[in-house]
Amino acid sequence: AWTTAISTTSCLCPFLVCLCFIQKCCGVSHHVSTKVPSKNQTKLANGETEVHHRPKRGWIWNQFFVLEEHMGPEAQYVGKLHSNSDKGDGSVKYILSGEGAGTIFIIDEVTGDIHATKSLDRERKTHYVLHAQALDRNTKEALEPKSEFIIKVQDINDNAPKFPDGPFVAMVPEMSEVGTSVLQVTATDADDPTYGNSARIVYSILQGQPYFSVDPKTGIIRTALANMDREAREHYTVVIQAKDMAGQVGGLSGSTTINITLTDVNDNPPKFPQKNYQLYVPESAQVGKPVGKIKANDEDLGINADIKYSIINSEGANMFSISTDRDTREGILSLKKPLNYEKKKSYTLHIEGMNTHVDPRFSYLGSFKDTATLKITVGDVDEAPVFSMDYYIMEVYENAPIGTEVGTVTAQDPDIKNSPVRYYLDIKEEGERYFKIDESHGIIRTIQPLDREDMPWHNITVMASDVDNPSLLSHVPATVQVLDVNDNPPEIATQEEGIVCESSRPGQVIQTVTAMDKDDFANGQRFSFALPSHLPVNPNFTLKDNEDGTASIIARRRRFSHLTQELYELPIVVWDNGEPSLSGTSTLTLRVCPCQRHGRVRMCQGEAFLSSAGLSTGALIAILLCIVILLAIVVLFITLRRSKKEPLIISEEDVRENVVTYDDEGGGEEDTEAFDIIALRNPAAAEELKFRRDVRPEARQHCGPPRTCQSPALELDEVDVHEFIKQRLVEADTDTSVPPYDSLQTYAYEGQGSPTGTISPLDSPGTQSEQDYNYLDDWGPEFQKLAELYEEAESEIMT
């Protein structure tokens, strides 16, 4: 079996010696026993015993410890490995492998001593895992199985506590009670917290007493002094120390700084700097505008310093109002009513300033408000005249004579001197002027007649100024209502024609008429109707007053005819019930026409047609005019087209050179009126037809045996076309019947000499059935199809 040994030289202090002793005494309880079967008993804490059965062979192990930060000149002894098979004769070879084997840890192959060759740092690596093996030096056979063991790095106090999050900033309300928690700080120590007191930290306060304290174990900072006032001191600097080794001498320490600020609470009431104030306000100050400021001081901050101002006496509250400026916390004094120096020359205001956010914890300090007295002196100012009313309404009858009094306005100087007042009308108002005003007495009169029907209301502006100071003006609006008089006679409301149907019967209502009056409701509400009394009785129509503002026109006979008389005129007299009563005569036109019924409405047939078509008389006339214009354009166009076929001869006096173009086309084989082209081929025959070119000459045909019939053109003498043209030119020059200007004549000549002659029927006086087309077969295959066509046509004619 293996056994281990640890040199006591590694225990450098009494504590380590004690630890080594404990390890040596208790090491057997952590490892497996030897090869001989036996029973080992271990006494437990509860008094019982535990029996361990050991295997036959095995290592005897202990944990090895090595002290960190070893600075000695020689390698540090760690421990010794030994096998029961080792007789001390050097036949056993010890081998070490694993973490740091051969570099940090070395082993004596003969003795099994392990040494550390380098200084170790527990904070970097706390332990190393290695493997031990015992071999027979001669046979290289393993005397013991390869086994694992651990070398732990023993901690020493080589790291001071640190505050990783410092420095700190904290806040605590002012006037806090003693023991109020402010902040907790925590320090860390890299040493082993499970071994000794190297990482056991104790907190203490180095700076900040007697205002603050710190809990030694938890690091909680608390207030240590009562009633700390922010207004007296706001910022504090506290230094906290953390020391390991439980605060013992020789321990390492670290410190941090905490900046503590006292936050504000409402512990100070507002205070006016003085108890009495004076303010001068002119009487011309505008209502609603600021006239002065007052301020109470509050040493608190934020909402704790918000102040609400108020006027607590009725004398001041009726005339003035006060509000708080949120930015400056000043009380802004404004007018509620106009000031009048002549009525009251001074005012006394009691102003109160009170905090809006009161903390009940500090109610023992007293009420959080203060008062001050403000005396306001009203200044005398020269003022503009004041009218007796804010608005004037006047009345005048229409058609009143020029100079009629409409009404009177009055104004008075409010100052003590009571200067005379002058009145004016605002001349800046647009439109025609109808009124004037007396400058001294304010009487408004008309300067021209008024017509209610034209303008029932007039709006004017009256101005007043002091005689001593004309620049001070006051204005007042005035409205003049024009009252109605019965100056407009009534008249028939409609100007349209009435319809009388030819089928009307006696007593039948033709139309119901109403009247209108430009006068107002009082004078134009009811009307009376009648036919003129100075005219003879109307044989066709009569009038019935319905006594409800309407009248009915009634037929007195039957059988009206629009052919006999289409229009009738009926004069009607209308009276109103005004004072005095006025009458007017209107003439109503009645049109007779055949009618057809459309429900209750009767319309003339022509008008019904137009109405159904949706066209008025003007629209129908416009359509007819458009049609006439289009027809005229068509006729003119046709006339111009026909005039183009006439010779372009303007007059005999026109001696300008002209080119006459003939572009007529022939009418085909049956056209007997076409131009005779034989004249081009037979000049002799042309002489006979010189003055009758519109008549086709008779052509003679000379036929011999079958298929030898030739055209007359072949029998003409050889004629030189050039000579023919010359001859025509001479004839044109000597002809006295033609106009005296040049003309262009074109002649086309195909030539002659073809043995087959021409196939045109123009030179053939006979009919188609008299022709013999068999000769076409001799012309070759090109004319074979043509010969077949002519034979088929001839056979059809014969059939």
Side-chain angles (χ1 to χ4, degrees), residues 503-510 554-558 597 602:
S503 60
S504 298
R505 300 182 303 276
Q508 181 177 345
V509 177
I510 301 301
I554 301 174
R556 301 189 65 177
R557 67 181 182 88
R558 67 176 64 195
R597 289 185 176 272
R602 296 183 179 181

Side-chain angles (χ1 to χ4, degrees), residues 469-497:
N469 190 358
S471 61
L472 293 175
L473 292 174
S474 57
H475 301 75
V476 66
T479 299
V480 179
Q481 181 183 7
V482 181
L483 302 178
D484 183 60
V485 297
N486 193 17
D487 58 344
N488 291 280
E491 59 185 5
I492 298 299
T494 180
Q495 298 294 331
E496 298 180 356
E497 295 179 348

Side-chain angles (χ1 to χ4, degrees), residues 498-501 504-505 507-512 540-542 552-557 560 590-591 602:
I499 303 300
V500 180
C501 292
S504 298
R505 300 182 303 276
Q508 181 177 345
V509 177
I510 301 301
Q511 186 176 353
T512 300
N540 301 308
F541 305 99
T542 184
S552 299
I553 301 173
I554 301 174
R556 301 189 65 177
R557 67 181 182 88
F560 292 93
L590 302 176
R591 179 180 296 274
R602 296 183 179 181

Side-chain angles (χ1 to χ4, degrees), residues 690-798:
K690 181 176 180 180
F691 298 101
R692 293 297 304 276
R693 296 180 180 178
D694 57 336
V695 178
R696 180 181 178 87
E698 295 182 359
R700 294 173 296 174
Q701 184 179 21
H702 301 278
C703 297
R707 299 183 181 179
T708 60
C709 184
Q710 298 181 349
S711 172
L714 298 177
E715 297 180 356
L716 296 176
D717 297 336
E718 296 291 335
V719 179
D720 189 357
V721 177
H722 183 66
E723 293 297 330
F724 172 75
I725 293 175
K726 283 185 176 182
Q727 182 180 356
R728 291 301 183 190
L729 180 59
V730 172
E731 291 178 358
D733 292 338
T734 57
D735 191 357
T736 58
S737 62
V738 297
Y741 51 77
D742 294 340
S743 61
L744 179 63
Q745 299 185 22
T746 303
Y747 299 94
Y749 178 60
E750 296 181 357
Q752 61 182 0
S754 175
T756 60
T758 177
I759 63 175
S760 175
L762 296 177
D763 296 333
S764 302
T767 62
Q768 186 178 8
S769 61
E770 298 175 354
Q771 297 292 330
D772 187 5
Y773 300 104
N774 295 327
Y775 62 89
L776 294 175
D777 296 335
D778 300 333
W779 288 3
E782 294 84 356
F783 295 88
Q784 185 66 35
K785 186 63 176 177
L786 184 61
E788 295 175 0
L789 293 175
Y790 274 106
E791 289 177 358
E792 292 176 1
E794 185 176 1
S795 63
E796 290 177 359
I797 293 174
M798 293 298 294

Side-chain angles (χ1 to χ4, degrees), residues 114-182:
I114 302 174
H115 291 82
T117 61
K118 295 182 180 180
S119 177
L120 303 179
D121 188 358
R122 189 201 68 83
E123 285 71 38
R124 293 186 178 180
K125 191 171 182 62
T126 59
H127 64 277
Y128 295 84
V129 179
L130 293 98
H131 301 84
Q133 189 175 14
L135 302 178
D136 188 307
R137 189 179 296 274
N138 297 322
T139 64
K140 306 299 182 182
E141 294 181 359
L143 301 177
E144 300 288 349
K146 189 175 182 180
S147 186
E148 181 182 280
F149 67 96
I150 297 174
I151 299 178
K152 285 190 174 182
V153 181
Q154 191 71 49
D155 181 51
I156 64 173
N157 189 19
D158 59 343
N159 291 280
K162 294 181 180 180
F163 293 92
D165 299 328
F168 301 89
V169 176
M171 291 183 293
V172 64
E174 63 172 333
M175 309 299 288
S176 296
E177 297 179 355
V178 176
T180 300
S181 176
V182 180

